[in-house]
């Protein structure tokens, strides 16, 4: 399904494929030979998403772009099933496995591998060619890699990366009621989305 959002429409070249059950919403630009498989959602909220040539977004993945954090996927990138790429820059030939998550302001360097259920935290940079092991967390710029049971070690770095300011534009300690009121208003812009005809 293709949706116009905030006056912007997806751009799908003839050589690309978008599954009938996938969703492209707003300013999403697909590269030549790219593939978006069943159940995947690419939603450019008030920013953009660019997908490079011969990149594949697999089933039920979520790719989100916003004005302050567009999502840029390079060439020959794999976004695995159930992965979450939100406001990240992913350089060429990166492998993002099932369930991996990349948060706003993060960068996955060329040839990096983010294995199953790994996390690249906000404003963190994974150096080119780095392998982030299954379930591990990359934090900082350049990123340090931590097993999930080492929270006390990576929290001082994570805290200074400012997740609430980066993702929600609020100071740490803002109540969930305030955050969600703002989020409800922001996502309310989808009330005026318009479905577009599928490309032939």
């Amino acid at each position: 399904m293709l949706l116009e959002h905030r006056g912007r429409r997806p751009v799908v070249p003839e050589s690309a494929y978008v599954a009938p059950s996938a969703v492209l919403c707003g300013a999403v630009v697909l590269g030549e030979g790219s593939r978006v498989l069943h159940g995947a959602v690419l939603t450019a909220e008030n920013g953009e998403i660019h997908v490079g040539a011969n990149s594949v977004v697999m089933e039920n993945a979520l790719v989100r772009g916003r004005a302050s954090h567009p999502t840029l996927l390079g060439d020959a990138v794999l976004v695995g099933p159930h992965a979450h790429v939100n406001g990240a820059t992913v350089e060429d030939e990166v492998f993002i496995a099932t369930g991996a998550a990349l948060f706003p302001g993060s960068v996955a360097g060329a040839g990096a591998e983010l294995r199953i259920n790994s996390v690249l935290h906000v404003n963190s940079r994974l150096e080119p060619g780095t392998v982030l092991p299954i379930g591990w967390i990359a934090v900082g710029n350049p990123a340090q890699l931590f097993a999930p049971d080492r929270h006390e070690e990576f929290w001082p770095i994570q805290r200074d990366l400012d997740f609430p300011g980066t993702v929600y534009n609020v100071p740490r300690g803002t109540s969930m009621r305030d955050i969600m009121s703002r989020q409800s208003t922001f996502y309310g812009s989808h009330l005026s989305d318009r479905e577009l005809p599928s490309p032939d």
Side-chain angles (χ1 to χ4, degrees), residues 31-116:
E32 297 292 339
S34 59
R35 308 288 184 245
V36 180
L37 303 184
H38 289 280
V41 175
L42 283 70
T43 180
E45 296 299 341
N46 59 350
E48 298 183 350
I49 296 170
H50 289 265
V51 177
N54 298 317
S55 289
V56 176
V57 180
M58 296 190 71
E59 294 86 354
N60 300 309
L62 171 63
V63 180
R64 184 184 306 280
R66 291 172 78 162
S68 55
H69 298 287
T71 291
L72 308 172
L73 301 181
D75 296 338
V77 167
L78 176 73
V79 178
H82 301 281
H84 174 206
V85 181
N86 181 0
T89 296
V90 178
E91 296 178 353
D92 296 343
E93 301 179 36
V94 171
F95 175 85
I96 301 170
T98 300
L102 293 80
F103 285 95
S106 66
V107 177
E113 293 184 26
L114 291 85
R115 296 195 172 159
I116 297 168

Side-chain angles (χ1 to χ4, degrees), residues 149-171:
D149 63 351
R150 294 172 57 197
H151 181 265
E152 296 306 317
E153 294 177 52
F154 67 75
W155 171 242
I157 304 167
Q158 178 185 341
R159 179 185 57 228
D160 292 342
L161 295 174
D162 190 23
F163 184 93
T166 301
V167 177
Y168 300 116
N169 199 30
V170 297

